[in-house]
Amino acid sequence: MNSNSEEVPIKNAATVVIRREMEGKPYVLMGQRGKDAVFMPNKFVFPGGAIDQQDHEVRLAFELEEDLFNNLIVSAKEIEPRAIIAGAIREVWEETGLRIVGKAKTLGDTNLELSQWKSFSATGFLPNPAGLEFFFRAITPPGRPRRFDARFLICNSDEISGNLDDFSHASTELSHLQWIDLNLINQLELPFITEIVLAEVVSREERGRHPEGIPFFDYSKEKSQISFIKA
């Protein structure tokens, strides 16, 4: 273990699992991190990343529903729930070129003055949190080169605006972006935590939400703790 592991700051982050149904089967969108990436090289992951300062300033189409707000604020350190949601939507746009603007697209003051949101806002629609559901949380264990307090959200593909197979606006952070059959994903090279998240996604297909609440894998200390968040 890296003796300086405790000095690596834990950054707030958000990740989105986008679910799509094709020919009666559930698929999710994933991409592969580069072989030279500092964090999880070569691994297939969901789009996501750290929350940025401008995510605190962005205007959303709607304010968060009470349950979503209350669940996200549990043990939150210096982060607003709406910034987590905004960061999740921004990361999806940057890494896949897909915009989460909701089934009812909302025109409005479109965040054009925020440099990190200018390209997203070019359509005139606001980022829409209405279809996002918070369903998993995990903190990266000590000893990693980067550490995140990651909130995992899930939404259906009908919350996306535009062509679901057009990734031409995506950055180069993820390659081989593709919709993957949920039942075949374990054939890919996955990070350990992604395997756990996928197990929860598969379980949701069968039984819906976890009966005990939102699973929280807390590896902020040497010894891991597993609990459930429930507003």
Side-chain angles (χ1 to χ4, degrees), residues 74-216:
V74 172
S75 301
K77 295 181 179 179
E78 300 177 357
I79 188 72
E80 297 177 3
R82 64 185 314 282
I84 295 171
I85 295 298
I89 294 173
R90 176 184 52 74
E91 285 288 338
V92 168
W93 164 245
E94 291 176 355
E95 294 186 351
T96 72
L98 301 179
R99 292 180 175 90
I100 298 177
V101 296
K103 298 173 187 176
K105 302 176 181 67
T106 305
L107 287 165
D109 193 354
T110 54
N111 306 298
L112 285 168
E113 77 283 5
L114 301 175
S115 59
Q116 290 178 305
W117 282 88
K118 188 172 292 186
S119 59
F120 181 100
S121 302
T123 57
F125 296 117
L126 292 171
N128 192 334
L132 286 168
E133 182 183 348
F134 176 34
F135 77 100
F136 198 92
R137 181 177 174 183
I139 296 180
T140 309
R144 304 298 194 272
R146 292 180 182 171
R147 301 185 67 195
F148 298 98
D149 184 349
R151 284 79 167 183
F152 291 80
L153 302 123
I154 190 167
C155 74
N156 288 320
S157 60
D158 55 4
E159 303 292 337
I160 303 292
S161 172
N163 185 346
L164 294 171
D165 298 305
D166 179 8
F167 307 121
S168 60
H169 294 289
S171 69
T172 57
E173 189 166 346
L174 295 181
S175 60
H176 303 108
L177 282 161
Q178 57 193 289
W179 295 97
I180 303 175
D181 186 331
L182 194 55
N183 298 311
L184 301 178
I185 284 181
N186 285 328
Q187 298 176 12
L188 302 175
E189 187 173 356
L190 303 171
F192 170 69
I193 196 62
T194 302
E195 293 179 356
I196 297 175
V197 172
L198 277 168
E200 178 62 21
V201 173
V202 171
S203 294
R204 287 173 59 92
E205 293 289 320
E206 301 170 356
R207 52 133 167 91
R209 298 177 183 180
H210 198 293
E212 295 187 66
I214 297 166
F216 181 12

Side-chain angles (χ1 to χ4, degrees), residues 2 8-9 38-40 140-141 143-147:
N2 179 1
V8 177
V38 174
F39 190 69
M40 297 182 179
T140 309
R144 304 298 194 272
R146 292 180 182 171
R147 301 185 67 195

